[in-house]
Amino acid sequence: MALHLPTWLKRQAGTPARKSVSVLQSVAAEGNADWSPIKYAEYYAKSVPLYAAVKLRADAVVRAPLVVYRRLGDGNRKPVSATYPLKTQLNKVNADMTGADLWRATSTLTDLMGACYWLLLKPGPSSTPTEIWPVRANLIRPIKRPRQPAQGFI
């Protein structure tokens, strides 16, 4: 069974700053992780009760307003303005998705696959992310080192 990677993943693979994307493509080509088989996602299209439950939850997640807080020196928190950089990024996450699309995809993938990861694309190593893309859990692998916990994920 061939995996169909989103167009954005194929489009990003040729750019030099996107090495993680080409690694992600090679992981996807190897097959599915045993702990998160693609079969779970296939049930979504075949099972009316599953589709209804997952959609109901995703729609509820999207309806809740996103509030970003800044922690104050005294330990209290204060909501940030609509122009705060993180809030702006989470409202328009990339050229193809809105914040609502990201949260809907995150909720749906978490319900179906057990987890959802976000691929954060940055123009440079010390810059803030300019794009956020949801990634299915079966496309992610831990970076393992002998006798150490996972160092990260690819």
Side-chain angles (χ1 to χ4, degrees), residues 34-64:
D34 294 336
W35 53 270
S36 187
I38 197 68
K39 285 184 195 177
Y40 295 164
E42 292 173 358
Y43 297 145
Y44 184 61
K46 296 177 182 175
S47 170
V48 173
L50 177 64
Y51 175 83
V54 170
K55 184 177 182 325
L56 181 69
R57 182 170 139 70
D59 290 345
V61 166
V62 171
R63 279 194 302 271

Side-chain angles (χ1 to χ4, degrees), residues 64-68 81-94 97-103 132:
L66 174 66
V67 181
V68 177
S81 71
T83 60
Y84 192 74
L86 176 61
K87 190 155 188 181
T88 303
Q89 178 69 51
L90 289 173
N91 283 328
K92 181 63 178 163
V93 297
N94 60 56
M97 298 176 79
T98 65
D101 295 333
L102 176 68
W103 292 114
I132 304 171

